[in-house]
Amino acid sequence: MLKQPIFIVGHPRSGTSLVRSLIERSEHVWSIGREGKPIWERDSLHPGRRGWQSNALDASDATPEVAARLNADLLAAARRPGAEWSVADKLDHLDFLRSQGPQPYYYDVPLKALQERFPGDLPEGPPTTRDGGELDEITPFCFPPRGERPTEAELADGIRLVEKSIQSCFRIPFLQALYPDARFVFVVRDPRTSVGSLMDAWLNPRMFFSYKMPVPLRIQGYSDVFPWGKEWWNLSLPPGWQDWVDLRLAEVCARNWLAHNRAVLDAASALAPTGNSVLVRYEDVQADPVAAMEAVAEAADLPFSDAWGRRDLPVVMTQTTPDPEKWRRHESEILPVLPLVRDLAEEAGYDVR
């Protein structure tokens, strides 16, 4: 069974993968090692089965049947996090996989390293099922945890699973109904770097495709740039997305930041009195990972791990070296949309004037 699962909740490209990787250094947690979309959105919980409204779920969706299915799937996927994959490990594994057909350029490895190991033309467009539909997992595909599965005795005693999914921003009541003893780690990031990173994600010709939409997209700077841009939505699906399909890409990304972080800050505020949650800023994790993990360990009810005394940070889910100034590549497009997010940014502790 699961006990006190730890859910990491934050905007796409906010640093949730980094925080998850740090928590996974604890010997007291288990992990599925990747986004949970293939588990959470199976069957009736997929937005396509719910009228394409959004990724939002509430307590009424946590039926006994849904709870039993999710419990079984999460437990089946649980592994000890084990040793972190190095870039060289990933490349060697992809060398093996490529002989069986999978395309290495859709995996979570820096592009430069992929090009050096696998020279040739770069593929473009979303990877799809044989009939052209969406895959369960959003690219870049992750590498599975390298550790062991829990034993029957460990399962009977209860395991602590750490899980992060970008869609969870809109599912807090659902998760609370499923797991009343859950702990939450909320992550926020400066809207300028977030919006810039989101734009990079939408403009990546191989990554972050999530949903093949039932309505045409006319997002300026995306739908008119790529042939797939008229039908493929990237990353999570916030409430209100239907009103964004004719906007410019920078505004779509700004409204994404706004929708996700409004949900995150509201949930963090509501849960703060319980002591079962913590709100961390990506920039603080970068600047002082030890202090950040002390706060996370207290809220998550985890013994402080010796591994968290290290200041090194894993590099996860990135195609280029992290740089807080990368957003300036899109500066002329981002600056006009900052007024949309300014009030909430200030609430989260960011000055974007």
Side-chain angles (χ1 to χ4, degrees):
M1 65 177 180
L2 294 179
K3 64 179 182 182
Q4 289 186 314
I6 302 164
F7 294 109
I8 303 169
V9 183
H11 185 280
R13 316 302 296 155
S14 66
T16 51
S17 292
L18 172 63
V19 173
R20 188 202 71 203
S21 293
L22 286 170
I23 295 176
E24 286 175 350
R25 289 177 173 176
S26 169
E27 63 184 14
H28 299 280
V29 302
W30 301 76
S31 175
I32 64 172
R34 59 186 64 209
E35 289 281 332
K37 181 176 182 284
I39 292 175
W40 297 112
E41 296 195 349
R42 192 168 300 157
D43 305 325
S44 63
L45 301 186
H46 187 283
R49 301 279 184 91
R50 305 170 62 83
W52 289 105
Q53 292 301 306
S54 71
N55 289 137
L57 298 171
D58 61 29
S60 68
D61 296 302
T63 65
E65 295 77 16
V66 164
R69 196 272 293 171
L70 288 173
N71 251 347
D73 287 352
L74 289 169
L75 290 171
R79 301 287 189 279
R80 281 287 185 203
E84 295 168 1
W85 289 78
S86 68
V87 171
D89 290 338
K90 292 178 178 181
L91 292 171
D92 289 344
H93 188 66
L94 288 176
D95 228 344
F96 167 74
L97 288 181
R98 190 174 67 149
S99 65
Q100 302 173 60
Q103 168 54 258
Y105 281 100
Y106 289 96
Y107 283 79
D108 177 27
V109 181
L111 182 58
K112 181 179 179 182
L114 285 168
Q115 289 179 301
E116 289 175 353
R117 177 66 73 92
F118 307 108
D121 295 335
L122 296 178
E124 291 193 351
T128 63
T129 60
R130 290 183 179 180
D131 61 359
E134 70 184 58
L135 298 174
D136 285 340
E137 189 176 353
I138 300 174
T139 49
F141 299 131
C142 296
F143 292 80
R146 307 179 90 175
E148 298 177 353
R149 300 174 68 136
T151 64
E152 290 299 322
E154 287 169 324
L155 288 173
D157 186 51
I159 64 170
R160 300 207 61 191
L161 187 74
V162 57
E163 196 277 342
K164 84 99 180 175
S165 298
I166 54 177
Q167 297 86 359
S168 291
C169 294
F170 310 113
R171 297 174 178 169
I172 303 301
F174 174 73
L175 296 175
Q176 289 177 300
L178 288 173
Y179 304 105
D181 62 345
R183 305 300 172 103
F184 292 88
V185 180
F186 297 105
V187 184
V188 295
R189 187 180 184 185
D190 188 302
R192 292 164 294 193
T193 53
S194 292
V195 172
S197 186
L198 279 169
M199 292 180 70
D200 286 339
W202 278 77
L203 294 172
N204 191 304
R206 284 168 293 281
M207 306 297 184
F208 307 109
F209 306 101
S210 54
Y211 303 109
K212 193 173 184 180
M213 304 304 291
V215 299
L217 305 179
R218 295 175 293 272
I219 298 170
Q220 301 163 58
Y222 171 67
S223 303
D224 52 354
V225 172
F226 301 119
W228 56 85
K230 296 178 176 61
E231 56 182 358
W232 280 89
W233 188 269
N234 289 28
L235 300 164
S236 47
L237 195 64
W241 69 268
Q242 299 91 337
D243 298 327
W244 306 350
V245 298
D246 288 296
L247 301 178
R248 295 194 61 80
L249 179 60
E251 185 171 350
V252 170
C253 293
R255 291 186 181 278
N256 251 293
W257 187 92
L258 190 65
H260 285 80
N261 285 285
R262 179 71 277 163
V264 163
L265 292 179
D266 286 350
S269 177
L271 285 170
T274 70
N276 292 341
S277 71
V278 64
L279 177 68
V280 298
R281 302 197 323 165
Y282 170 81
E283 295 79 10
D284 294 338
V285 177
Q286 289 276 347
D288 192 346
V290 177
M293 293 311 298
E294 285 177 341
V296 168
E298 181 178 0
D301 194 19
L302 286 171
F304 189 80
S305 169
D306 290 342
W308 294 338
R310 295 155 41 189
R311 297 189 61 83
D312 65 300
L313 293 172
V315 177
V316 291
M317 299 296 276
T318 182
Q319 292 291 291
T320 58
T321 303
D323 177 0
E325 296 300 308
K326 276 196 295 187
W327 72 275
R328 294 195 182 279
R329 291 182 295 182
H330 305 293
E331 184 173 12
S332 63
E333 298 164 277
I334 292 174
L335 290 179
V337 302
L338 287 181
L340 292 171
V341 303
R342 186 165 291 142
D343 289 347
L344 190 63
E346 290 179 358
E347 190 176 327
Y350 297 103
D351 184 357
V352 297
R353 288 175 291 178

